[in-house]
């Protein structure tokens, strides 16, 4: 697929911009701060309903404006779809597909698929587990948009259960320490309140295990499919002998976590049972701390080069190649799955690569249906790869 046209209004630094795009390679060139990334960020937003740079929508809206508009014409198999998004921070965003309003914004997911690689991706290797969980979950949604619903259900369950744990912590914690509970409301028997809290917790354990097992299963399946692509991509990019691996580290109890780390993918029912067992084992701790301690939200992906973990051990260049390897693996997985190329976005990445890596990356992406590249200095992009070049100056995009 490819983006044929991008139109934005009050998005980031742009009051308005219209950009006509074509298949093949397009390079956006301009000095830093001119608005190159803002453009590809808008395209990434259409595909994922999130930004690769910020966790909230507010910074996406031009400072002083109250909503941003992003319109994107996407061509797949010669059929064109028009996605229109209205980003209204603090209120529900709105989406239209081919001019018809969609019941939920997330119903646009799947119309455009992108894989975006940016300097921020170094955090995939060096950053917190949350970065790697997000990588997996975002890819899950790119692959099959229905996972967006599961993901959002899981987040809601965590919130509710977390709140419940906090209140249970006050009730049950006080009881265990042999003190009179502080938090049972006046006229309420503290023991009855505590028993009620336990019953409610049981129900939420069940919700967490039901939805959590689906998410966990999907991640494990995804990882199993992704790793061969990762190994291939890392080898191609880095020309390095050590093998890149990614092993799922689960917060389940030890036996279950070990099986998963060996690469086993239990069925959803088994995972559900494992989650319930694990929750039972940590119940006391959870109530003590008032925190959800078990489930996919506590898991990590351990990235390694050969025997050594990448985090803390890999050099800057190796970490960079690893992050790039993960994104290219995502690209190849989607291409393979969908029988269609996602749009590849390379934001400001060539400047970070040495000439060998640049040339190898150039060779790898030459056959992609559409590649959007941003660069401050055109010389950083290998000759022959630049394709059509747009110049971006102070929020003005000028065609070649
Ligand atoms: N919400 C916003 N409103 C107005 N300007 C913004 C907003 N967000 C970012 N900018 C401006 O956009 C510019 C950065 O654009 P960016 O696309 O990241 O540049 P680059 O060309 O280096 O990729 C900065 O000058 C920043 O101040
Ligand atoms: Mg930039």
């Amino acid at each position: 697929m490819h983006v044929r046209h991008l139109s934005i209004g009050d998005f980031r630094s742009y009051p308005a911009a219209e950009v006509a795009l074509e298949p093949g390679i397009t390079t956006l060139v301009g000095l830093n701060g001119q608005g190159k990334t803002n453009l590809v960020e808008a395209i990434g937003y259409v595909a994922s309903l999130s930004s690769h740079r910020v966790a909230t929508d507010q910074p996406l809206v031009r400072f002083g404006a109250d909503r941003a508009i992003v319109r994107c014409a996407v061509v797949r198999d010669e059929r064109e779809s028009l996605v229109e998004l209205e980003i209204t921070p603090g209120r529900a965003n709105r989406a239209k597909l081919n001019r018809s309003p969609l019941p939920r914004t997330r119903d646009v997911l799947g119309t455009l698929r992108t894989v975006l690689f940016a300097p921020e991706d170094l955090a995939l290797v060096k950053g917190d587990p949350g970065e790697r969980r997000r990588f997996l979950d975002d890819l899950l949604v790119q692959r099959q948009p229905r996972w967006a619903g599961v993901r959002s259900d899981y987040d809601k369950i965590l919130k509710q259960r977390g709140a419940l744990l906090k209140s249970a912590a006050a009730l049950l914690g006080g009881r265990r320490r042999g003190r009179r509970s502080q938090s049972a409301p006046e006229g309420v028997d503290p023991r009855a309140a505590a028993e009620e809290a336990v019953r409610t917790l049981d129900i939420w354990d069940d919700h967490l295990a039901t939805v959590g097992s689906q998410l966990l299963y999907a991640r494990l399946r995804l990882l199993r499919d992704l790793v061969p692509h990762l190994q291939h991509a890392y080898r191609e990019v880095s020309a390095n002998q050590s093998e890149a691996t990614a092993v799922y580290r689960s917060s389940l109890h030890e036996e279950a976590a070990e099986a998963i780390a060996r690469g086993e993918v239990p069925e959803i029912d088994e995972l559900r049972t494992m989650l319930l067992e694990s929750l039972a084992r940590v119940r006391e701790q959870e109530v003590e701390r008032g925190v959800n301690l078990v489930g996919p939200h506590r898991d990590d992906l351990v990235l390694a080069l050969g025997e050594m973990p990448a985090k803390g051990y890999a050099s800057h260049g190796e970490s960079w190649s690893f992050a790039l390897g993960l994104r290219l693996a995502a690209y190849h997985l989607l291409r393979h799955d969908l029988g269609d190329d996602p749009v590849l976005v390379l934001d400001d990445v060539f400047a970070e690569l040495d000439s060998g890596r640049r040339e190898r990356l150039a060779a790898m992406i030459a056959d992609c249906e559409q590649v959007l590249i941003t660069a401050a200095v055109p010389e950083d992009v290998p000759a022959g790869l630049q394709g059509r070049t747009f110049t971006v100056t102070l929020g003005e995009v000028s065609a070649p």
Side-chain angles (χ1 to χ4, degrees):
M1 61 173 63
H2 63 272
V3 175
R4 189 188 57 71
H5 193 89
L6 172 70
S7 162
I8 51 180
D10 287 334
F11 185 88
R12 289 283 196 183
S13 54
Y14 291 89
E18 303 286 331
V19 187
L21 295 164
E22 287 176 10
I25 293 167
T26 300
T27 305
L28 304 167
V29 178
L31 296 176
N32 286 324
Q34 304 295 302
K36 306 182 295 295
T37 301
N38 294 346
L39 289 176
V40 292
E41 187 179 37
I43 290 176
Y45 193 92
V46 171
S48 65
L49 296 177
S50 64
S51 154
H52 68 288
R53 296 200 283 190
V54 285
T56 60
D57 284 347
Q58 186 68 57
L60 304 179
V61 177
R62 193 165 69 90
F63 196 76
D66 54 13
R67 54 168 204 165
I69 303 286
V70 180
R71 279 192 201 89
C72 206
V74 182
V75 180
R76 181 177 185 183
D77 296 334
E78 291 171 17
R79 285 233 306 274
E80 184 163 310
S81 311
L82 178 66
V83 179
E84 296 174 85
L85 293 175
E86 189 186 48
I87 305 171
T88 45
R91 279 181 295 145
N93 293 341
R94 276 191 293 203
K96 285 185 193 168
L97 182 60
N98 299 324
R99 311 207 178 271
S100 306
L102 294 171
R104 291 166 312 187
T105 314
R106 71 169 187 253
D107 295 334
V108 296
L109 291 168
T111 307
L112 173 63
R113 287 176 162 101
T114 62
V115 170
L116 193 155
F117 181 59
E120 285 80 3
D121 285 333
L122 204 53
L124 288 176
V125 181
K126 301 194 176 213
D128 295 335
E131 306 277 352
R132 290 174 287 280
R133 288 194 296 266
R134 183 177 159 188
F135 169 79
L136 285 178
D137 292 347
D138 284 350
L139 181 54
L140 214 51
V141 171
Q142 288 290 298
R143 200 182 188 194
Q144 288 178 311
R146 70 182 184 89
W147 287 106
V150 175
R151 200 178 168 183
S152 122
D153 289 349
Y154 186 72
D155 289 341
K156 282 184 207 142
I157 291 170
L158 279 185
K159 262 206 198 101
Q160 300 258 16
R161 192 172 177 278
L164 186 67
L165 280 171
K166 284 212 174 65
S167 56
L171 284 165
L172 302 175
R175 188 179 61 161
R176 216 183 10 260
R177 283 190 290 273
R179 282 188 270 113
R180 232 179 68 84
S181 168
Q182 305 285 311
S183 67
E186 195 128 348
V188 172
D189 172 12
R191 180 180 300 177
E195 280 164 7
E196 177 60 26
V198 168
R199 257 196 309 278
T200 318
L201 255 180
D202 287 344
I203 293 169
W204 284 98
D205 281 10
D206 209 68
H207 291 325
L208 189 151
T210 300
V211 181
S213 58
Q214 294 172 29
L215 185 58
L216 181 52
Y217 178 75
R219 283 190 192 166
L220 295 176
R221 286 288 300 266
L222 173 68
L223 188 63
R224 186 170 70 185
D225 296 343
L226 185 71
V227 166
H229 292 291
L230 168 66
Q231 290 172 341
H232 181 76
Y234 183 78
R235 228 178 292 127
E236 297 258 299
V237 174
S238 68
N240 187 323
Q241 293 313 305
S242 17
E243 185 162 73
T245 58
V247 171
Y248 197 86
R249 178 186 283 161
S250 139
S251 54
L252 291 171
H253 61 73
E254 205 172 315
E255 306 95 276
E258 277 170 8
I260 287 171
R262 282 195 300 274
E264 287 176 27
V265 180
E267 293 301 321
I268 295 186
D269 284 353
E270 294 175 69
L271 289 169
R272 189 174 178 282
T273 308
M274 291 169 174
L275 270 164
L276 286 171
E277 287 167 0
S278 307
L279 285 167
R281 293 194 202 182
V282 297
R283 167 69 69 89
E284 202 165 320
Q285 248 180 302
E286 283 192 310
V287 167
E288 192 77 35
R289 294 175 50 187
V291 180
N292 291 299
L293 290 176
V294 169
H297 66 289
R298 299 283 288 200
D299 297 351
D300 196 1
L301 197 56
V302 181
L303 307 175
L305 286 175
E307 300 280 284
M308 270 190 290
K311 188 174 177 174
Y313 289 85
S315 70
H316 184 78
E318 285 168 340
S319 302
W320 190 262
S321 297
F322 208 124
L324 178 56
L326 284 168
R327 291 296 179 198
L328 291 174
Y331 184 90
H332 285 286
L333 178 77
L334 291 173
R335 167 189 267 185
H336 178 263
D337 259 27
L338 308 169
D340 181 41
D341 283 3
V343 174
L344 182 63
V345 179
L346 301 173
D347 181 29
D348 225 4
V349 298
F350 281 98
E352 294 275 349
L353 299 172
D354 60 37
S355 60
R357 285 184 170 96
R358 271 182 203 174
E359 296 301 332
R360 285 192 295 276
L361 176 59
M364 288 174 78
I365 63 176
D367 71 336
C368 298
E369 180 171 338
Q370 187 174 48
V371 187
L372 307 175
I373 297 172
T374 75
V377 188
E379 292 73 40
D380 284 347
V381 183
L385 193 66
Q386 289 174 8
R388 294 202 313 154
T389 304
F390 288 99
T391 310
V392 182
T393 319
L394 281 175
E396 292 281 326
V397 188
S398 48

